[in-house]
Amino acid sequence: MLGTFGRAETTALCRLVISEGYKNNKFGRIFSQKLMTKVEQRLVDFLSKGNIKILFGDKDIEMLAFNFCLLVREPVHIRCLLIPDSAPQTKKECEEIVRSAVDIFLRGALNNAK
């Protein structure tokens, strides 16, 4: 996911969606369905497994997946939108972003499920 949102092509496409989306909301909807929803669906499938879903109580699994993806994606994505070529350069940088997002997500989602 970080590789996708850190690419120059994705950043350019997102800039286009942001600048033109208000003129034609179908454009933003197509972008969302084709790119973002596929990533989130993989996480929904994983979180919906019985032994995992029980950990989250009655939380909305789709919203949890959406929020997790935002935690991982947005620090990189926003930075790339604002500062071209600022994507994480090493595997270690990517792992630290993901590790931080997982920690924040699990602390919030699991603590609020009780």
Side-chain angles (χ1 to χ4, degrees), residues 68 71-72 75 92-108:
F68 178 78
L71 286 170
V72 173
K92 185 176 180 178
E93 288 177 298
C94 289
E95 287 173 351
E96 185 54 39
I97 291 168
V98 172
R99 188 179 355 270
S100 175
V102 168
D103 184 53
I104 292 167
F105 176 78
L106 289 177
R107 288 175 192 254

mmCIF file of all heavy atoms in Angstrom, residues 68 71-72 75 92-108:
data_model
loop_
_atom_site.group_PDB
_atom_site.id
_atom_site.type_symbol
_atom_site.label_atom_id
_atom_site.label_comp_id
_atom_site.label_asym_id
_atom_site.label_seq_id
_atom_site.Cartn_x
_atom_site.Cartn_y
_atom_site.Cartn_z
ATOM 1 N N PHE A 68 -7.734 1.998 9.500
ATOM 2 C CA PHE A 68 -6.375 1.463 9.498
ATOM 3 C C PHE A 68 -5.637 1.891 8.228
ATOM 4 O O PHE A 68 -4.483 2.319 8.290
ATOM 5 C CB PHE A 68 -6.375 -0.055 9.619
ATOM 6 C CG PHE A 68 -4.986 -0.620 9.566
ATOM 7 C CD1 PHE A 68 -4.169 -0.550 10.679
ATOM 8 C CD2 PHE A 68 -4.496 -1.193 8.398
ATOM 9 C CE1 PHE A 68 -2.873 -1.048 10.636
ATOM 10 C CE2 PHE A 68 -3.213 -1.691 8.352
ATOM 11 C CZ PHE A 68 -2.389 -1.619 9.469
ATOM 12 N N LEU A 71 -4.448 5.356 8.539
ATOM 13 C CA LEU A 71 -3.284 5.477 9.418
ATOM 14 C C LEU A 71 -1.983 5.124 8.703
ATOM 15 O O LEU A 71 -0.943 5.730 8.957
ATOM 16 C CB LEU A 71 -3.440 4.566 10.646
ATOM 17 C CG LEU A 71 -4.415 5.013 11.709
ATOM 18 C CD1 LEU A 71 -4.626 3.894 12.729
ATOM 19 C CD2 LEU A 71 -3.917 6.270 12.406
ATOM 20 N N VAL A 72 -2.045 4.154 7.834
ATOM 21 C CA VAL A 72 -0.846 3.741 7.102
ATOM 22 C C VAL A 72 -0.589 4.684 5.929
ATOM 23 O O VAL A 72 0.524 5.144 5.712
ATOM 24 C CB VAL A 72 -0.979 2.295 6.585
ATOM 25 C CG1 VAL A 72 0.184 1.932 5.677
ATOM 26 C CG2 VAL A 72 -1.066 1.319 7.746
ATOM 27 N N PRO A 75 0.167 9.526 6.216
ATOM 28 C CA PRO A 75 1.438 10.248 6.437
ATOM 29 C C PRO A 75 2.293 10.303 5.171
ATOM 30 O O PRO A 75 2.885 11.330 4.859
ATOM 31 C CB PRO A 75 2.137 9.437 7.522
ATOM 32 C CG PRO A 75 1.065 8.670 8.192
ATOM 33 C CD PRO A 75 0.010 8.428 7.156
ATOM 34 N N LYS A 92 13.158 0.041 5.840
ATOM 35 C CA LYS A 92 13.092 0.353 7.266
ATOM 36 C C LYS A 92 12.129 1.522 7.525
ATOM 37 O O LYS A 92 11.349 1.490 8.471
ATOM 38 C CB LYS A 92 14.481 0.683 7.801
ATOM 39 C CG LYS A 92 14.514 0.907 9.283
ATOM 40 C CD LYS A 92 15.916 1.137 9.788
ATOM 41 C CE LYS A 92 15.894 1.365 11.287
ATOM 42 N NZ LYS A 92 17.216 1.541 11.849
ATOM 43 N N GLU A 93 12.173 2.544 6.678
ATOM 44 C CA GLU A 93 11.249 3.676 6.833
ATOM 45 C C GLU A 93 9.796 3.226 6.670
ATOM 46 O O GLU A 93 8.928 3.635 7.445
ATOM 47 C CB GLU A 93 11.563 4.767 5.802
ATOM 48 C CG GLU A 93 12.823 5.535 6.061
ATOM 49 C CD GLU A 93 13.105 6.538 4.956
ATOM 50 O OE1 GLU A 93 13.288 6.102 3.798
ATOM 51 O OE2 GLU A 93 13.120 7.748 5.260
ATOM 52 N N CYS A 94 9.544 2.392 5.681
ATOM 53 C CA CYS A 94 8.189 1.871 5.460
ATOM 54 C C CYS A 94 7.736 1.028 6.639
ATOM 55 O O CYS A 94 6.597 1.156 7.104
ATOM 56 C CB CYS A 94 8.138 1.042 4.180
ATOM 57 S SG CYS A 94 8.291 2.017 2.682
ATOM 58 N N GLU A 95 8.609 0.170 7.133
ATOM 59 C CA GLU A 95 8.260 -0.684 8.263
ATOM 60 C C GLU A 95 7.939 0.142 9.498
ATOM 61 O O GLU A 95 7.020 -0.190 10.252
ATOM 62 C CB GLU A 95 9.398 -1.655 8.556
ATOM 63 C CG GLU A 95 9.526 -2.755 7.525
ATOM 64 C CD GLU A 95 10.754 -3.618 7.718
ATOM 65 O OE1 GLU A 95 11.629 -3.290 8.559
ATOM 66 O OE2 GLU A 95 10.854 -4.643 7.014
ATOM 67 N N GLU A 96 8.644 1.234 9.711
ATOM 68 C CA GLU A 96 8.381 2.079 10.880
ATOM 69 C C GLU A 96 7.013 2.758 10.767
ATOM 70 O O GLU A 96 6.279 2.859 11.749
ATOM 71 C CB GLU A 96 9.476 3.126 11.048
ATOM 72 C CG GLU A 96 9.331 3.958 12.297
ATOM 73 C CD GLU A 96 9.215 3.140 13.584
ATOM 74 O OE1 GLU A 96 9.914 2.112 13.728
ATOM 75 O OE2 GLU A 96 8.414 3.531 14.462
ATOM 76 N N ILE A 97 6.648 3.192 9.580
ATOM 77 C CA ILE A 97 5.325 3.801 9.370
ATOM 78 C C ILE A 97 4.235 2.781 9.660
ATOM 79 O O ILE A 97 3.265 3.066 10.367
ATOM 80 C CB ILE A 97 5.204 4.352 7.931
ATOM 81 C CG1 ILE A 97 6.115 5.564 7.768
ATOM 82 C CG2 ILE A 97 3.758 4.708 7.600
ATOM 83 C CD1 ILE A 97 6.299 6.006 6.334
ATOM 84 N N VAL A 98 4.399 1.574 9.146
ATOM 85 C CA VAL A 98 3.403 0.522 9.361
ATOM 86 C C VAL A 98 3.363 0.121 10.823
ATOM 87 O O VAL A 98 2.282 -0.030 11.408
ATOM 88 C CB VAL A 98 3.677 -0.694 8.444
ATOM 89 C CG1 VAL A 98 2.765 -1.854 8.800
ATOM 90 C CG2 VAL A 98 3.521 -0.304 6.988
ATOM 91 N N ARG A 99 4.509 -0.034 11.453
ATOM 92 C CA ARG A 99 4.568 -0.417 12.870
ATOM 93 C C ARG A 99 3.832 0.616 13.733
ATOM 94 O O ARG A 99 3.053 0.275 14.616
ATOM 95 C CB ARG A 99 6.025 -0.547 13.313
ATOM 96 C CG ARG A 99 6.211 -1.120 14.685
ATOM 97 C CD ARG A 99 7.671 -1.291 15.142
ATOM 98 N NE ARG A 99 8.721 -1.004 14.190
ATOM 99 C CZ ARG A 99 9.259 -1.898 13.343
ATOM 100 N NH1 ARG A 99 8.834 -3.133 13.313
ATOM 101 N NH2 ARG A 99 10.229 -1.544 12.518
ATOM 102 N N SER A 100 4.045 1.887 13.445
ATOM 103 C CA SER A 100 3.376 2.952 14.192
ATOM 104 C C SER A 100 1.860 2.897 13.977
ATOM 105 O O SER A 100 1.082 3.027 14.932
ATOM 106 C CB SER A 100 3.921 4.303 13.739
ATOM 107 O OG SER A 100 3.225 5.344 14.354
ATOM 108 N N ALA A 101 1.427 2.693 12.737
ATOM 109 C CA ALA A 101 -0.009 2.624 12.434
ATOM 110 C C ALA A 101 -0.654 1.433 13.124
ATOM 111 O O ALA A 101 -1.752 1.548 13.684
ATOM 112 C CB ALA A 101 -0.226 2.545 10.923
ATOM 113 N N VAL A 102 0.010 0.280 13.108
ATOM 114 C CA VAL A 102 -0.528 -0.912 13.769
ATOM 115 C C VAL A 102 -0.662 -0.662 15.260
ATOM 116 O O VAL A 102 -1.689 -0.986 15.870
ATOM 117 C CB VAL A 102 0.363 -2.151 13.484
ATOM 118 C CG1 VAL A 102 -0.013 -3.307 14.387
ATOM 119 C CG2 VAL A 102 0.251 -2.554 12.022
ATOM 120 N N ASP A 103 0.350 -0.060 15.859
ATOM 121 C CA ASP A 103 0.313 0.218 17.292
ATOM 122 C C ASP A 103 -0.849 1.154 17.646
ATOM 123 O O ASP A 103 -1.635 0.870 18.554
ATOM 124 C CB ASP A 103 1.645 0.839 17.728
ATOM 125 C CG ASP A 103 1.709 1.063 19.221
ATOM 126 O OD1 ASP A 103 1.469 0.091 19.983
ATOM 127 O OD2 ASP A 103 1.999 2.197 19.647
ATOM 128 N N ILE A 104 -0.989 2.233 16.915
ATOM 129 C CA ILE A 104 -2.083 3.186 17.161
ATOM 130 C C ILE A 104 -3.436 2.513 16.952
ATOM 131 O O ILE A 104 -4.353 2.650 17.767
ATOM 132 C CB ILE A 104 -1.950 4.418 16.241
ATOM 133 C CG1 ILE A 104 -0.730 5.234 16.648
ATOM 134 C CG2 ILE A 104 -3.214 5.267 16.272
ATOM 135 C CD1 ILE A 104 -0.334 6.291 15.629
ATOM 136 N N PHE A 105 -3.565 1.770 15.864
ATOM 137 C CA PHE A 105 -4.819 1.100 15.534
ATOM 138 C C PHE A 105 -5.217 0.110 16.622
ATOM 139 O O PHE A 105 -6.348 0.126 17.114
ATOM 140 C CB PHE A 105 -4.680 0.389 14.186
ATOM 141 C CG PHE A 105 -5.890 -0.409 13.805
ATOM 142 C CD1 PHE A 105 -7.009 0.208 13.300
ATOM 143 C CD2 PHE A 105 -5.901 -1.782 13.952
ATOM 144 C CE1 PHE A 105 -8.132 -0.525 12.930
ATOM 145 C CE2 PHE A 105 -7.006 -2.531 13.592
ATOM 146 C CZ PHE A 105 -8.130 -1.896 13.085
ATOM 147 N N LEU A 106 -4.299 -0.768 16.991
ATOM 148 C CA LEU A 106 -4.638 -1.799 17.964
ATOM 149 C C LEU A 106 -4.922 -1.212 19.351
ATOM 150 O O LEU A 106 -5.832 -1.663 20.033
ATOM 151 C CB LEU A 106 -3.522 -2.837 18.057
ATOM 152 C CG LEU A 106 -3.395 -3.750 16.831
ATOM 153 C CD1 LEU A 106 -2.218 -4.694 17.006
ATOM 154 C CD2 LEU A 106 -4.676 -4.515 16.569
ATOM 155 N N ARG A 107 -4.190 -0.202 19.738
ATOM 156 C CA ARG A 107 -4.463 0.429 21.037
ATOM 157 C C ARG A 107 -5.857 1.043 21.059
ATOM 158 O O ARG A 107 -6.598 0.900 22.018
ATOM 159 C CB ARG A 107 -3.422 1.490 21.365
ATOM 160 C CG ARG A 107 -2.082 0.944 21.724
ATOM 161 C CD ARG A 107 -1.090 2.076 21.917
ATOM 162 N NE ARG A 107 0.247 1.588 21.992
ATOM 163 C CZ ARG A 107 0.952 1.527 23.120
ATOM 164 N NH1 ARG A 107 0.413 1.936 24.255
ATOM 165 N NH2 ARG A 107 2.177 1.081 23.111
ATOM 166 N N GLY A 108 -6.213 1.727 19.979
ATOM 167 C CA GLY A 108 -7.517 2.378 19.920
ATOM 168 C C GLY A 108 -8.657 1.405 19.707
ATOM 169 O O GLY A 108 -9.650 1.403 20.427
#
